Amino acid sequence: MDIRPKFDGTQVQQLLKGRKGTVHYVVKGFRIPFRITDVDFYRLRMSTKEPGKFQRDWRFRENDLVHLEGAVKVVRKWCKELGA
C-alpha cells in the first residue's frame, strides 16, 4: 500500500529540469493552475567538506556565460510554448 501523497497539481513541483553545458536549470511551480514560482540556474562544483559530493554554486565563471545564455533561451522558449 502506497501512503505517499499523490501529486494532484496543487503542490509546488519541478516543471522543467535540464542542463546546458556546465549550467543546470530547474523551473518550479504549480501545474493546476499553471504558475511558475521559481527558476534556478546553477553549476555544480566539488564539495570541500565531503569528498565525492557536489554542491550547487550560483556564482558563474566567465567560461560559463555562454552556457548560461543557452539555458536562459531554453527556459524562455519553453515558457513561450506554454503561453506563460
Side-chain angles (χ1 to χ4, degrees), residues 47-51 55:
S47 174
T48 56
K49 296 180 182 177
E50 299 178 37
Q55 291 179 336

Side-chain angles (χ1 to χ4, degrees), residues 47-61:
S47 174
T48 56
K49 296 180 182 177
E50 299 178 37
K53 301 275 184 167
F54 289 93
Q55 291 179 336
R56 289 184 179 189
D57 191 7
W58 286 273
R59 295 172 296 164
F60 296 104
R61 300 174 299 191

Side-chain angles (χ1 to χ4, degrees), residues 5-70:
K6 302 277 188 234
F7 279 107
D8 60 355
T10 58
Q11 296 94 355
V12 174
Q13 54 187 315
Q14 288 183 358
L15 303 174
L16 179 67
K17 182 178 180 180
R19 177 178 157 194
K20 190 75 172 175
T22 58
V23 176
H24 297 259
Y25 54 90
V26 177
V27 179
K28 295 179 184 174
F30 298 96
R31 288 197 187 272
I32 301 172
F34 181 78
R35 187 173 57 213
I36 296 172
T37 58
D38 190 24
V39 180
D40 287 332
F41 297 99
Y42 60 92
R43 67 182 185 91
L44 296 177
R45 65 179 175 91
M46 292 296 289
S47 174
T48 56
K49 296 180 182 177
E50 299 178 37
K53 301 275 184 167
F54 289 93
Q55 291 179 336
R56 289 184 179 189
D57 191 7
W58 286 273
R59 295 172 296 164
F60 296 104
R61 300 174 299 191
E62 195 171 332
N63 300 341
D64 297 328
L65 295 180
V66 173
H67 302 298
L68 180 62
E69 286 180 21

Side-chain angles (χ1 to χ4, degrees), residues 1-6:
M1 183 171 176
D2 194 13
I3 58 172
R4 290 180 293 170
K6 302 277 188 234

